[in-house]
Amino acid sequence: MASNGSEVKHQNGKDNFRHQEVGHKSLLQSDALYQYILETSVYPKEPKCMKELREITAKHPWNLMTTSADEGQFLNMLVKLINAKNTMEIGVFTGYSLLATALALPKDGKILAMDINRDNYEIGLPVIEKAGVAHKIEFKEGPALPVLDQMLQDEKNHGTYDFIFVDADKDNYLNYHKRLIELIKVGGLIGYDNTLWNGSVVAPPDAPLRKYVRYYKDFVLELNKALAVDSRIEICQLPVGDGITLCRRTT
């Protein structure tokens, strides 16, 4: 579950340090262990521009929507490992994950970024511009599904994307998948964020969950089941951030 405190709690005579990052989504049982990962492996390697955007986003009242720093690091390396050039992101918020991807792309790399709220994107845009990667981004404000449907009408768009990252409305994840599987190339990757959904995927029916967590839980469960039986993809679900499932198109 996400926590955004920085206080120290005393239990059984021991100190359990709640990690310092506002809006973190780690599924690790030990906040001290998560803080160790951040301070040892993530923050020392985090580009200055990403740190700046992370700190700006931490002040946003919806900071829980942001991609965690360790997941941003993971996405950046992943994009490099697969030599992605043509990418897409659905759900941008202030652009932390978008910046992680943009920094990893070659100079002529492209990102089609879609979000229903341009105001949030513009919070991070000055940082993205200062980082020198704004030219790689084409931002479209509004629902993504109509854009995807329009793209699919032109067969030239089919199988052209190397990497697609989805961190948006969970009730539409399956609708996105039905379309994105046609746009991603064979061998390309789709990453679906929040697929462990605050750990609620294994919570009993009577568990005390936040209203929004309970509402989207069934949609996340439905997605996970659908991906597991989709013969067109190989999958790998990782407990990074709030859970991310990578789907590699095979056919």
Side-chain angles (χ1 to χ4, degrees):
M1 298 290 288
S3 67
N4 52 18
S6 59
E7 70 271 21
V8 177
K9 287 191 172 182
H10 300 275
Q11 298 178 357
N12 299 323
K14 296 181 180 180
D15 292 340
N16 289 327
F17 295 91
R18 300 181 65 186
H19 73 89
Q20 307 295 314
E21 183 181 357
V22 173
H24 96 92
K25 303 175 183 179
S26 173
L27 294 165
L28 290 174
Q29 292 183 353
S30 167
D31 281 334
L33 181 58
Y34 182 59
Q35 191 67 25
Y36 172 82
I37 292 172
L38 292 175
E39 294 178 356
T40 304
S41 301
V42 179
Y43 292 158
K45 295 289 187 179
E46 185 180 37
K48 290 182 179 179
C49 56
M50 290 190 65
K51 178 182 179 182
E52 181 180 0
L53 183 50
R54 175 169 56 82
E55 292 176 344
I56 291 172
T57 305
K59 300 174 184 177
H60 195 290
W62 302 342
N63 62 65
L64 282 174
M65 291 173 59
T66 192
T67 299
S68 60
D70 54 323
E71 187 174 11
Q73 183 186 57
F74 172 73
L75 292 172
N76 180 272
M77 180 172 288
L78 183 65
V79 170
K80 293 174 181 175
L81 287 171
I82 66 174
N83 295 314
K85 187 173 181 180
N86 191 32
T87 71
M88 182 190 305
E89 182 163 326
I90 300 175
V92 172
F93 192 41
T94 61
Y96 186 79
S97 57
L98 186 66
L99 179 56
T101 299
L103 290 170
L105 291 174
K107 291 182 179 180
D108 58 345
K110 299 294 181 184
I111 312 172
L112 172 60
M114 292 177 276
D115 198 288
I116 59 172
N117 190 323
R118 186 180 184 92
D119 291 341
N120 287 330
Y121 169 64
E122 289 186 345
I123 291 173
L125 185 56
V127 180
I128 293 172
E129 291 175 335
K130 187 166 60 175
V133 294
H135 68 281
K136 301 178 184 179
I137 301 168
E138 178 188 1
F139 180 85
K140 291 190 176 183
E141 183 180 24
L145 288 175
V147 178
L148 298 177
D149 286 336
Q150 185 177 14
M151 293 175 66
L152 286 169
Q153 292 178 11
D154 187 348
E155 290 191 3
K156 292 181 179 178
N157 293 320
H158 290 211
T160 57
Y161 282 85
D162 305 310
F163 178 70
I164 301 173
F165 182 59
V166 184
D167 183 8
D169 42 333
K170 316 310 169 194
D171 46 347
N172 269 319
Y173 266 29
L174 269 180
N175 290 324
Y176 292 137
H177 185 66
K178 292 174 183 177
R179 293 158 173 80
L180 297 179
I181 196 66
E182 302 295 333
L183 295 171
I184 198 75
K185 72 177 185 181
V186 173
L189 289 179
I190 306 173
Y192 292 103
D193 202 20
N194 306 114
T195 58
L196 294 176
W197 198 229
N198 286 252
S200 68
V201 291
V202 294
D206 59 347
L209 302 175
R210 294 180 184 180
K211 187 177 296 185
Y212 79 95
V213 174
R214 182 175 300 279
Y215 175 77
Y216 288 114
K217 173 185 172 182
D218 288 342
F219 294 107
V220 175
L221 288 170
E222 186 181 12
L223 171 77
N224 290 339
K225 291 177 182 178
L227 296 180
V229 297
D230 190 334
S231 61
R232 300 166 296 180
I233 58 174
E234 299 170 335
I235 66 172
C236 179
Q237 189 172 31
L238 301 169
V240 177
D242 192 26
I244 180 172
T245 299
L246 300 179
C247 306
R248 178 180 178 269
R249 182 181 174 185
T250 57
T251 60

